[in-house]
Amino acid sequence: MPTTIILGSQWGDEGKGKLTDILCAQAQICARAAGGHNAGHSIKANGVSYDCHLLPSGVVAPNCMNLIGSAVVFHVPSFFKELTDIESKGVKDIRNRILVSDRCHINFDLHAAVDGLEEVELGSNAVGTTKRGIGPCYSTKAARSGVRLAEMFNEELFERKLRQLADGYKKRYGDLLKYDVEEEIARFKQYRVELANYVVDAVAFMQDAQERDAKVLVEGSQALMLDIDYGTYPYVTSSNTCLGGIVSGLGLKRRNIKEVVGVVKAYTTRVGSGSFPTEDTGEVGSKLQQLGGEIGVSTGRKRRCGWLDLVVLRYSCAVNDYDSLNLSKLDVLSSFDKIKIAIAYKDPLTGEELPSFPADHSLLERVEPVYHELPGWNTGIAEVREWSALPKEARDYVEYIEKFVHCKVKWIGTGPDRNDMIYRP
């Protein structure tokens, strides 16, 4: 490889898990850098479906070691539940192939309780979080009051810091906070024993891996448009999902990075609140949702759907500097007579096109997409494995995207299964 990075280029749910699963066959290490169990990566292999939230998708690959990196917020109960769930589907030796950074901040059930209260406080301006404690955990991390996994092994320190956190939230929310700190402390007495074999110094681990040129595959969580700095703030996640967050979250050596791959769905979806310029709330959006099976892996919520937005993808390419793209779920467009692609935004107040993707969310809410229309191909492509076998209209669609964003589409997803992928070297 030696280090390949897979990132989401839109608002998440692009299909990163599938490409990760394919490339894991060649990888020695698969790593997650940031985020938490709010992520949802789906893999379908040999007729079995796997859903990963906190675990890297590489756990399904039998010869791949997996690492949960230092910028991940780590929810212990979810970690053990996922291990058990994946083991129940026949994946062997998984507990010997997963490690967790001792620098991870612990995402307590306390954080989840607070997450729900914060969303209630925001009212109509609620972000639409998964209510799994991700934001509050990153908040305590930034405020330097959080608890790292390394501190868990110092029982007195751990219990003092968790009680202080709980006391602070209790003062703010009073009886609205439904949480028992002593119950969580009691559970961690057992977790402390069970986690001992999984927790490592991830900096030393990655240093050794990179010095010996191990093949490392990094699986990004969420996507660029949910990045805390570059996404559609404030309707974003609480971590850096961009390339920079990957490098810092794992301590990657920049000279070891061989390829950065952006995964982009052939149309656009989003879960939760926030601007979505190409969203279609009518027939097209409903059809995309139904044909694409657009239900969130982590939330179970229906995803909002619309045409592909090349303004977003061009912006994503500018921030993450992709070497190549994986265009996923192209097959979902197979029954459309005409296919639209957004190529610009127009401000209805001025009538002018915007020169770039705006930071001002109020401006983004009112923009009108400018569309380019292409003919559809009206034939199924679910079993197509070669570029030359795609209908000409499908190839034209792919090539239009490439020319617009100046980045090669190297992989094309033509169905849900692991083998439903065209590779263009």
Side-chain angles (χ1 to χ4, degrees):
M1 285 180 174
T3 299
T4 298
I5 300 171
I6 299 172
L7 299 174
S9 66
Q10 297 161 302
W11 279 282
D13 307 308
E14 300 92 352
K16 299 178 291 295
K18 179 177 175 178
L19 183 61
T20 301
D21 178 48
I22 290 170
L23 297 184
C24 269
Q26 307 158 26
Q28 294 167 283
I29 297 168
C30 180
R32 280 272 310 274
H37 66 304
N38 56 335
H41 296 173
S42 297
I43 304 162
K44 186 174 181 181
N46 302 318
V48 181
S49 295
Y50 305 92
D51 292 333
C52 293
H53 301 276
L54 188 60
L55 300 179
S57 297
V59 292
V60 178
N63 299 314
C64 190
M65 177 60 74
N66 294 267
L67 174 69
I68 296 174
S70 300
V72 171
V73 288
F74 187 74
H75 186 246
V76 181
S78 293
F79 173 73
F80 286 116
K81 181 180 184 303
E82 276 191 60
L83 286 177
T84 300
D85 288 348
I86 292 178
E87 279 178 327
S88 70
K89 295 184 177 182
V91 178
K92 298 178 180 178
D93 203 31
I94 184 176
R95 293 178 191 262
N96 295 323
R97 295 187 291 105
I98 181 70
L99 299 170
V100 187
S101 172
D102 58 2
R103 288 174 169 82
C104 283
H105 274 251
I106 301 173
N107 181 3
F108 293 108
D109 287 352
L110 170 63
H111 290 118
V114 170
D115 201 353
L117 292 174
E118 288 183 347
E119 284 286 87
V120 171
E121 275 187 334
L122 289 169
S124 62
N125 294 317
V127 174
T129 75
T130 57
K131 297 179 182 174
R132 296 185 180 183
I134 308 301
C137 187
Y138 276 112
S139 293
T140 54
K141 172 183 175 179
R144 302 181 297 279
S145 58
V147 184
R148 282 174 155 185
L149 268 176
E151 296 173 306
M152 179 189 64
F153 296 104
N154 182 332
E155 189 168 353
E156 184 278 328
L157 173 67
F158 171 83
E159 294 184 5
R160 174 170 56 81
K161 292 189 72 171
L162 181 52
R163 287 193 179 100
Q164 285 176 341
L165 267 183
D167 286 346
Y169 283 126
K170 190 69 175 176
K171 288 175 183 176
R172 177 175 176 182
Y173 292 107
D175 292 338
L176 292 175
L177 180 63
K178 307 300 181 185
Y179 172 73
D180 184 347
V181 66
E182 298 305 323
E183 188 274 335
E184 186 145 40
I185 284 173
R187 278 191 283 117
F188 266 86
K189 291 183 184 297
Q190 183 60 35
Y191 292 154
R192 192 172 289 114
V193 176
E194 295 176 349
L195 281 171
N197 292 330
Y198 300 103
V199 179
V200 297
D201 180 346
V203 175
F205 177 85
M206 289 301 297
Q207 173 85 359
D208 173 71
Q210 292 172 102
E211 285 184 349
R212 59 184 171 85
D213 284 331
K215 295 177 180 178
V216 178
L217 181 64
V218 182
E219 177 182 24
S221 61
Q222 287 87 37
L224 190 277
M225 301 312 295
L226 294 174
D227 184 272
I228 187 69
D229 293 316
Y230 294 102
T232 47
Y233 188 88
Y235 300 97
V236 293
T237 191
S238 299
S239 60
N240 284 114
T241 59
C242 63
L243 177 60
I246 296 292
V247 172
S248 64
L250 287 168
L252 295 179
K253 295 181 181 295
R254 66 187 188 280
R255 295 182 185 86
N256 279 46
I257 299 173
K258 179 184 178 183
E259 186 170 18
V260 180
V261 183
V263 184
V264 52
K265 201 174 283 184
Y267 48 101
T268 309
T269 63
R270 179 168 195 174
V271 171
S273 305
S275 293
F276 182 176
T278 65
E279 181 177 15
D280 190 297
T281 57
E283 182 181 346
V284 169
S286 296
K287 186 175 179 179
L288 288 169
Q289 195 277 326
Q290 183 179 11
L291 293 175
E294 297 298 347
I295 304 292
V297 174
S298 287
T299 63
R301 293 180 289 185
K302 286 185 177 181
R303 298 176 185 137
R304 302 154 62 191
C305 299
W307 296 116
L308 179 61
D309 189 333
L310 292 186
V311 181
V312 164
L313 184 57
R314 182 171 57 191
Y315 172 71
S316 186
C317 288
V319 175
N320 280 337
D321 193 25
Y322 304 121
D323 296 296
S324 60
L325 297 172
N326 168 203
L327 184 68
S328 66
K329 303 185 85 165
L330 184 63
D331 55 300
V332 174
L333 300 180
S334 293
S335 61
F336 287 88
D337 293 325
K338 299 288 183 181
I339 298 171
K340 291 183 179 181
I341 307 178
I343 58 172
Y345 295 158
K346 183 181 290 186
D347 184 348
L349 297 184
T350 65
E352 296 180 354
E353 289 188 5
L354 276 60
S356 59
F357 190 87
D360 181 356
H361 194 266
S362 62
L363 172 57
L364 191 61
E365 283 185 319
R366 70 172 184 264
V367 297
E368 297 173 349
V370 177
Y371 287 107
H372 176 74
E373 190 171 271
L374 291 167
W377 45 94
N378 280 302
T379 185
I381 60 170
E383 295 185 8
V384 175
R385 303 288 186 271
E386 299 292 333
W387 168 249
S388 60
L390 280 176
K392 180 183 182 299
E393 294 84 359
R395 297 198 305 270
D396 289 344
Y397 184 76
V398 175
E399 289 174 346
Y400 186 91
I401 295 167
E402 289 181 318
K403 290 174 182 176
F404 193 94
V405 300
H406 305 292
C407 190
K408 180 180 177 62
V409 176
K410 199 171 178 180
W411 290 271
I412 302 168
T414 58
D417 200 71
R418 174 190 280 168
N419 297 321
D420 296 329
M421 186 76 84
I422 294 170
Y423 175 60
R424 298 168 69 208

